[in-house]
Amino acid sequence: MLMQFFVGAVVSAINIGIHALVTVVAVSIARTAGLRPTERPRLHLMGVMVATAAVLQIAHTLEVLVWAGAYDIVQAAAADSGLLYFAFVNYTTLGYGDITPVREWRLIGPLTAMNGVLLFGWSAAILFEVLRKTLDHLGMTEVSRGK
């Protein structure tokens, strides 16, 4: 059981590092793009938000790939069971249950889910902050509040 927690902690730390790096990049890009003068603020806002969400989605996909790689290394499930699919199902907390880990690694799914929930929450916070900052810069705060 300790090995499961150790592997889960290591993979989670790697993914947190990936997310931190992507956060810096996404915020930097959003700040640069969001601060440009524009004649179409609503379209500009949409572009900034779509770009930020796309970068975050790429980060989540990379993080799932890290989990799938870890599953393969520790042989957490049968190799022919679709480890990438298994990692996605766990990371997103979808939990179909059609693929299950081997008995010795049955905590790996919940550890993956815990990491996914944390990083999805982090992404939501990033998206909200980019939206708030871009709205402030474009002078659209009254528009966004329905005024």
Side-chain angles (χ1 to χ4, degrees):
M1 181 165 42
L2 285 177
M3 184 57 105
Q4 292 178 73
F5 283 113
F6 176 74
V7 169
V10 168
V11 176
S12 290
I14 290 168
N15 282 343
I16 289 168
I18 290 170
H19 220 73
L21 177 64
V22 171
T23 296
V24 169
V25 171
V27 168
S28 173
I29 291 169
R31 182 173 290 144
T32 302
L35 296 180
R36 281 194 225 143
T38 182
E39 293 179 16
R40 295 183 176 169
R42 291 173 195 254
L43 190 60
H44 185 77
L45 174 64
M46 287 172 51
V48 169
M49 295 308 296
V50 167
T52 304
V55 168
L56 291 168
Q57 190 164 5
I58 290 167
H60 286 290
T61 303
L62 285 172
E63 292 152 7
V64 169
L65 286 169
V66 171
W67 277 108
Y71 291 177
D72 191 33
I73 290 168
V74 301
Q75 299 176 347
D80 63 341
S81 62
L83 296 177
L84 181 60
Y85 168 76
F86 184 44
F88 259 109
V89 168
N90 285 322
Y91 185 85
T92 60
T93 71
L94 194 55
Y96 281 140
D98 54 342
I99 300 174
T100 55
V102 295
R103 183 168 176 75
E104 299 81 32
W105 287 97
R106 62 183 174 191
L107 288 178
I108 203 78
L111 291 168
T112 305
M114 190 168 58
N115 184 236
V117 167
L118 171 70
L119 297 179
F120 279 124
W122 185 345
S123 290
I126 293 166
L127 285 167
F128 180 78
E129 185 62 13
V130 167
L131 175 64
R132 193 180 68 76
K133 291 285 189 188
T134 306
L135 285 172
D136 284 348
H137 171 72
L138 295 173
M140 295 176 65
T141 20
E142 284 78 30
V143 172
S144 68
R145 291 184 187 144
K147 294 182 181 177

